[in-house]
PDB file of all heavy atoms in Angstrom:
ATOM      1  N   PHE P   1       0.836  -1.207   0.000  1.00 95.00           N
ATOM      2  CA  PHE P   1       0.000   0.000   0.000  1.00 95.00           C
ATOM      3  C   PHE P   1       0.870   1.255   0.000  1.00 95.00           C
ATOM      4  O   PHE P   1       0.644   2.189  -0.772  1.00 95.00           O
ATOM      5  CB  PHE P   1      -0.921  -0.006   1.219  1.00 95.00           C
ATOM      6  CG  PHE P   1      -1.672   1.276   1.429  1.00 95.00           C
ATOM      7  CD1 PHE P   1      -2.859   1.510   0.759  1.00 95.00           C
ATOM      8  CD2 PHE P   1      -1.185   2.249   2.292  1.00 95.00           C
ATOM      9  CE1 PHE P   1      -3.559   2.699   0.939  1.00 95.00           C
ATOM     10  CE2 PHE P   1      -1.861   3.438   2.474  1.00 95.00           C
ATOM     11  CZ  PHE P   1      -3.057   3.661   1.800  1.00 95.00           C
ATOM     12  N   LEU P   2       1.880   1.269   0.868  1.00 95.00           N
ATOM     13  CA  LEU P   2       2.764   2.437   0.949  1.00 95.00           C
ATOM     14  C   LEU P   2       3.514   2.673  -0.356  1.00 95.00           C
ATOM     15  O   LEU P   2       3.670   3.818  -0.791  1.00 95.00           O
ATOM     16  CB  LEU P   2       3.769   2.252   2.090  1.00 95.00           C
ATOM     17  CG  LEU P   2       3.305   2.569   3.509  1.00 95.00           C
ATOM     18  CD1 LEU P   2       4.413   2.270   4.502  1.00 95.00           C
ATOM     19  CD2 LEU P   2       2.859   4.016   3.636  1.00 95.00           C
ATOM     20  N   SER P   3       3.994   1.607  -0.989  1.00 95.00           N
ATOM     21  CA  SER P   3       4.764   1.767  -2.226  1.00 95.00           C
ATOM     22  C   SER P   3       3.909   2.380  -3.329  1.00 95.00           C
ATOM     23  O   SER P   3       4.353   3.278  -4.051  1.00 95.00           O
ATOM     24  CB  SER P   3       5.349   0.429  -2.671  1.00 95.00           C
ATOM     25  OG  SER P   3       4.333  -0.479  -3.061  1.00 95.00           O
ATOM     26  N   GLY P   4       2.664   1.902  -3.474  1.00 94.00           N
ATOM     27  CA  GLY P   4       1.771   2.488  -4.468  1.00 94.00           C
ATOM     28  C   GLY P   4       1.368   3.909  -4.110  1.00 94.00           C
ATOM     29  O   GLY P   4       1.281   4.787  -4.976  1.00 94.00           O
ATOM     30  N   PHE P   5       1.144   4.141  -2.831  1.00 96.00           N
ATOM     31  CA  PHE P   5       0.756   5.457  -2.334  1.00 96.00           C
ATOM     32  C   PHE P   5       1.823   6.501  -2.643  1.00 96.00           C
ATOM     33  O   PHE P   5       1.541   7.592  -3.139  1.00 96.00           O
ATOM     34  CB  PHE P   5       0.518   5.359  -0.827  1.00 96.00           C
ATOM     35  CG  PHE P   5       0.040   6.619  -0.187  1.00 96.00           C
ATOM     36  CD1 PHE P   5      -1.299   6.972  -0.211  1.00 96.00           C
ATOM     37  CD2 PHE P   5       0.931   7.456   0.467  1.00 96.00           C
ATOM     38  CE1 PHE P   5      -1.746   8.130   0.392  1.00 96.00           C
ATOM     39  CE2 PHE P   5       0.502   8.623   1.073  1.00 96.00           C
ATOM     40  CZ  PHE P   5      -0.848   8.968   1.036  1.00 96.00           C
ATOM     41  N   ILE P   6       3.080   6.146  -2.386  1.00 96.00           N
ATOM     42  CA  ILE P   6       4.180   7.097  -2.583  1.00 96.00           C
ATOM     43  C   ILE P   6       4.434   7.349  -4.063  1.00 96.00           C
ATOM     44  O   ILE P   6       4.604   8.502  -4.485  1.00 96.00           O
ATOM     45  CB  ILE P   6       5.469   6.585  -1.908  1.00 96.00           C
ATOM     46  CG1 ILE P   6       5.267   6.441  -0.402  1.00 96.00           C
ATOM     47  CG2 ILE P   6       6.641   7.522  -2.194  1.00 96.00           C
ATOM     48  CD1 ILE P   6       6.371   5.648   0.280  1.00 96.00           C
ATOM     49  N   SER P   7       4.468   6.287  -4.856  1.00 94.00           N
ATOM     50  CA  SER P   7       4.886   6.417  -6.261  1.00 94.00           C
ATOM     51  C   SER P   7       3.962   7.346  -7.050  1.00 94.00           C
ATOM     52  O   SER P   7       4.438   8.240  -7.766  1.00 94.00           O
ATOM     53  CB  SER P   7       4.969   5.039  -6.920  1.00 94.00           C
ATOM     54  OG  SER P   7       3.709   4.390  -6.877  1.00 94.00           O
ATOM     55  N   ILE P   8       2.652   7.158  -6.934  1.00 95.00           N
ATOM     56  CA  ILE P   8       1.734   8.007  -7.693  1.00 95.00           C
ATOM     57  C   ILE P   8       1.593   9.386  -7.049  1.00 95.00           C
ATOM     58  O   ILE P   8       1.416  10.395  -7.743  1.00 95.00           O
ATOM     59  CB  ILE P   8       0.363   7.328  -7.829  1.00 95.00           C
ATOM     60  CG1 ILE P   8       0.530   6.002  -8.548  1.00 95.00           C
ATOM     61  CG2 ILE P   8      -0.600   8.223  -8.613  1.00 95.00           C
ATOM     62  CD1 ILE P   8       1.152   6.099  -9.924  1.00 95.00           C
ATOM     63  N   GLY P   9       1.711   9.450  -5.729  1.00 95.00           N
ATOM     64  CA  GLY P   9       1.691  10.753  -5.069  1.00 95.00           C
ATOM     65  C   GLY P   9       2.808  11.656  -5.567  1.00 95.00           C
ATOM     66  O   GLY P   9       2.608  12.852  -5.800  1.00 95.00           O
ATOM     67  N   LEU P  10       3.976  11.080  -5.763  1.00 95.00           N
ATOM     68  CA  LEU P  10       5.107  11.857  -6.285  1.00 95.00           C
ATOM     69  C   LEU P  10       4.859  12.304  -7.722  1.00 95.00           C
ATOM     70  O   LEU P  10       5.260  13.402  -8.122  1.00 95.00           O
ATOM     71  CB  LEU P  10       6.395  11.030  -6.214  1.00 95.00           C
ATOM     72  CG  LEU P  10       6.945  10.765  -4.816  1.00 95.00           C
ATOM     73  CD1 LEU P  10       8.152   9.833  -4.893  1.00 95.00           C
ATOM     74  CD2 LEU P  10       7.338  12.068  -4.131  1.00 95.00           C
ATOM     75  N   GLU P  11       4.199  11.436  -8.485  1.00 94.00           N
ATOM     76  CA  GLU P  11       3.891  11.816  -9.871  1.00 94.00           C
ATOM     77  C   GLU P  11       2.935  13.003  -9.908  1.00 94.00           C
ATOM     78  O   GLU P  11       3.122  13.936 -10.701  1.00 94.00           O
ATOM     79  CB  GLU P  11       3.287  10.624 -10.612  1.00 94.00           C
ATOM     80  CG  GLU P  11       3.059  10.899 -12.088  1.00 94.00           C
ATOM     81  CD  GLU P  11       2.563   9.678 -12.834  1.00 94.00           C
ATOM     82  OE1 GLU P  11       2.626   8.562 -12.283  1.00 94.00           O
ATOM     83  OE2 GLU P  11       2.100   9.850 -13.989  1.00 94.00           O
ATOM     84  N   ILE P  12       1.919  12.984  -9.048  1.00 95.00           N
ATOM     85  CA  ILE P  12       0.993  14.118  -8.977  1.00 95.00           C
ATOM     86  C   ILE P  12       1.737  15.378  -8.524  1.00 95.00           C
ATOM     87  O   ILE P  12       1.537  16.477  -9.069  1.00 95.00           O
ATOM     88  CB  ILE P  12      -0.172  13.815  -8.018  1.00 95.00           C
ATOM     89  CG1 ILE P  12      -0.979  12.623  -8.520  1.00 95.00           C
ATOM     90  CG2 ILE P  12      -1.069  15.037  -7.852  1.00 95.00           C
ATOM     91  CD1 ILE P  12      -1.618  12.824  -9.863  1.00 95.00           C
ATOM     92  N   LEU P  13       2.597  15.222  -7.545  1.00 95.00           N
ATOM     93  CA  LEU P  13       3.404  16.359  -7.089  1.00 95.00           C
ATOM     94  C   LEU P  13       4.292  16.910  -8.202  1.00 95.00           C
ATOM     95  O   LEU P  13       4.564  18.105  -8.263  1.00 95.00           O
ATOM     96  CB  LEU P  13       4.282  15.928  -5.914  1.00 95.00           C
ATOM     97  CG  LEU P  13       3.794  16.230  -4.501  1.00 95.00           C
ATOM     98  CD1 LEU P  13       4.767  15.672  -3.480  1.00 95.00           C
ATOM     99  CD2 LEU P  13       3.606  17.728  -4.301  1.00 95.00           C
ATOM    100  N   GLY P  14       4.745  16.004  -9.067  1.00 94.00           N
ATOM    101  CA  GLY P  14       5.619  16.424 -10.157  1.00 94.00           C
ATOM    102  C   GLY P  14       5.003  17.492 -11.038  1.00 94.00           C
ATOM    103  O   GLY P  14       5.688  18.419 -11.484  1.00 94.00           O
ATOM    104  N   PHE P  15       3.691  17.388 -11.279  1.00 94.00           N
ATOM    105  CA  PHE P  15       3.018  18.401 -12.101  1.00 94.00           C
ATOM    106  C   PHE P  15       3.122  19.775 -11.449  1.00 94.00           C
ATOM    107  O   PHE P  15       3.367  20.776 -12.123  1.00 94.00           O
ATOM    108  CB  PHE P  15       1.541  18.024 -12.287  1.00 94.00           C
ATOM    109  CG  PHE P  15       1.310  16.879 -13.221  1.00 94.00           C
ATOM    110  CD1 PHE P  15       1.173  15.588 -12.738  1.00 94.00           C
ATOM    111  CD2 PHE P  15       1.236  17.088 -14.583  1.00 94.00           C
ATOM    112  CE1 PHE P  15       0.958  14.526 -13.601  1.00 94.00           C
ATOM    113  CE2 PHE P  15       1.024  16.033 -15.459  1.00 94.00           C
ATOM    114  CZ  PHE P  15       0.885  14.747 -14.972  1.00 94.00           C
ATOM    115  N   ARG P  16       2.928  19.814 -10.143  1.00 94.00           N
ATOM    116  CA  ARG P  16       2.978  21.103  -9.435  1.00 94.00           C
ATOM    117  C   ARG P  16       4.406  21.609  -9.302  1.00 94.00           C
ATOM    118  O   ARG P  16       4.653  22.818  -9.368  1.00 94.00           O
ATOM    119  CB  ARG P  16       2.341  20.935  -8.045  1.00 94.00           C
ATOM    120  CG  ARG P  16       2.230  22.240  -7.280  1.00 94.00           C
ATOM    121  CD  ARG P  16       1.282  23.193  -7.976  1.00 94.00           C
ATOM    122  NE  ARG P  16       1.269  24.502  -7.328  1.00 94.00           N
ATOM    123  CZ  ARG P  16       2.118  25.491  -7.594  1.00 94.00           C
ATOM    124  NH1 ARG P  16       3.066  25.312  -8.520  1.00 94.00           N
ATOM    125  NH2 ARG P  16       2.034  26.632  -6.962  1.00 94.00           N
ATOM    126  N   ILE P  17       5.358  20.701  -9.129  1.00 95.00           N
ATOM    127  CA  ILE P  17       6.757  21.110  -8.994  1.00 95.00           C
ATOM    128  C   ILE P  17       7.285  21.698 -10.289  1.00 95.00           C
ATOM    129  O   ILE P  17       8.015  22.698 -10.292  1.00 95.00           O
ATOM    130  CB  ILE P  17       7.615  19.902  -8.562  1.00 95.00           C
ATOM    131  CG1 ILE P  17       7.233  19.441  -7.153  1.00 95.00           C
ATOM    132  CG2 ILE P  17       9.105  20.254  -8.600  1.00 95.00           C
ATOM    133  CD1 ILE P  17       7.901  18.144  -6.729  1.00 95.00           C
ATOM    134  N   LEU P  18       6.921  21.103 -11.417  1.00 95.00           N
ATOM    135  CA  LEU P  18       7.432  21.565 -12.707  1.00 95.00           C
ATOM    136  C   LEU P  18       6.728  22.811 -13.225  1.00 95.00           C
ATOM    137  O   LEU P  18       7.289  23.545 -14.051  1.00 95.00           O
ATOM    138  CB  LEU P  18       7.316  20.452 -13.759  1.00 95.00           C
ATOM    139  CG  LEU P  18       8.549  19.574 -13.963  1.00 95.00           C
ATOM    140  CD1 LEU P  18       8.859  18.763 -12.703  1.00 95.00           C
ATOM    141  CD2 LEU P  18       8.354  18.638 -15.149  1.00 95.00           C
ATOM    142  N   SER P  19       5.505  23.063 -12.763  1.00 93.00           N
ATOM    143  CA  SER P  19       4.694  24.128 -13.354  1.00 93.00           C
ATOM    144  C   SER P  19       5.318  25.526 -13.297  1.00 93.00           C
ATOM    145  O   SER P  19       5.190  26.282 -14.268  1.00 93.00           O
ATOM    146  CB  SER P  19       3.302  24.151 -12.705  1.00 93.00           C
ATOM    147  OG  SER P  19       3.383  24.434 -11.324  1.00 93.00           O
ATOM    148  N   PRO P  20       6.009  25.930 -12.212  1.00 93.00           N
ATOM    149  CA  PRO P  20       6.592  27.283 -12.234  1.00 93.00           C
ATOM    150  C   PRO P  20       7.678  27.461 -13.289  1.00 93.00           C
ATOM    151  O   PRO P  20       7.957  28.587 -13.701  1.00 93.00           O
ATOM    152  CB  PRO P  20       7.178  27.426 -10.817  1.00 93.00           C
ATOM    153  CG  PRO P  20       6.449  26.437  -9.988  1.00 93.00           C
ATOM    154  CD  PRO P  20       6.187  25.284 -10.904  1.00 93.00           C
ATOM    155  N   TYR P  21       8.271  26.372 -13.718  1.00 94.00           N
ATOM    156  CA  TYR P  21       9.382  26.445 -14.664  1.00 94.00           C
ATOM    157  C   TYR P  21       8.975  26.087 -16.088  1.00 94.00           C
ATOM    158  O   TYR P  21       9.547  26.613 -17.046  1.00 94.00           O
ATOM    159  CB  TYR P  21      10.511  25.505 -14.216  1.00 94.00           C
ATOM    160  CG  TYR P  21      11.000  25.792 -12.821  1.00 94.00           C
ATOM    161  CD1 TYR P  21      10.507  25.092 -11.726  1.00 94.00           C
ATOM    162  CD2 TYR P  21      11.943  26.792 -12.596  1.00 94.00           C
ATOM    163  CE1 TYR P  21      10.942  25.360 -10.446  1.00 94.00           C
ATOM    164  CE2 TYR P  21      12.390  27.078 -11.311  1.00 94.00           C
ATOM    165  CZ  TYR P  21      11.875  26.357 -10.242  1.00 94.00           C
ATOM    166  OH  TYR P  21      12.303  26.642  -8.967  1.00 94.00           O
ATOM    167  N   PHE P  22       7.987  25.201 -16.240  1.00 94.00           N
ATOM    168  CA  PHE P  22       7.634  24.701 -17.574  1.00 94.00           C
ATOM    169  C   PHE P  22       6.137  24.767 -17.871  1.00 94.00           C
ATOM    170  O   PHE P  22       5.718  24.340 -18.955  1.00 94.00           O
ATOM    171  CB  PHE P  22       8.111  23.246 -17.717  1.00 94.00           C
ATOM    172  CG  PHE P  22       9.583  23.070 -17.466  1.00 94.00           C
ATOM    173  CD1 PHE P  22      10.032  22.540 -16.261  1.00 94.00           C
ATOM    174  CD2 PHE P  22      10.518  23.451 -18.409  1.00 94.00           C
ATOM    175  CE1 PHE P  22      11.385  22.374 -16.016  1.00 94.00           C
ATOM    176  CE2 PHE P  22      11.879  23.293 -18.181  1.00 94.00           C
ATOM    177  CZ  PHE P  22      12.320  22.756 -16.975  1.00 94.00           C
ATOM    178  N   GLY P  23       5.339  25.259 -16.950  1.00 91.00           N
ATOM    179  CA  GLY P  23       3.914  25.368 -17.185  1.00 91.00           C
ATOM    180  C   GLY P  23       3.210  24.018 -17.097  1.00 91.00           C
ATOM    181  O   GLY P  23       3.729  23.063 -16.504  1.00 91.00           O
ATOM    182  N   TYR P  24       2.015  23.955 -17.682  1.00 87.00           N
ATOM    183  CA  TYR P  24       1.202  22.736 -17.633  1.00 87.00           C
ATOM    184  C   TYR P  24       1.004  22.154 -19.033  1.00 87.00           C
ATOM    185  O   TYR P  24      -0.055  21.610 -19.337  1.00 87.00           O
ATOM    186  CB  TYR P  24      -0.152  23.019 -17.004  1.00 87.00           C
ATOM    187  CG  TYR P  24      -0.099  23.314 -15.525  1.00 87.00           C
ATOM    188  CD1 TYR P  24      -0.126  24.613 -15.042  1.00 87.00           C
ATOM    189  CD2 TYR P  24      -0.017  22.280 -14.594  1.00 87.00           C
ATOM    190  CE1 TYR P  24      -0.083  24.882 -13.682  1.00 87.00           C
ATOM    191  CE2 TYR P  24       0.032  22.536 -13.230  1.00 87.00           C
ATOM    192  CZ  TYR P  24      -0.009  23.832 -12.788  1.00 87.00           C
ATOM    193  OH  TYR P  24       0.046  24.099 -11.442  1.00 87.00           O
TER     194      TYR P  24
END
């Protein structure tokens, strides 16, 4: 459960992390 929880959570975070530099 934790492994799946972390992996996709980071992917969702990736969109927000990249947005100030590369947009959406």
Side-chain angles (χ1 to χ4, degrees):
F1 171 84
L2 279 178
S3 67
F5 183 83
I6 298 167
S7 60
I8 300 302
L10 290 175
E11 185 175 347
I12 298 298
L13 263 177
F15 287 95
R16 185 65 186 86
I17 294 172
L18 266 65
S19 62
Y21 303 95
F22 304 103
Y24 290 99

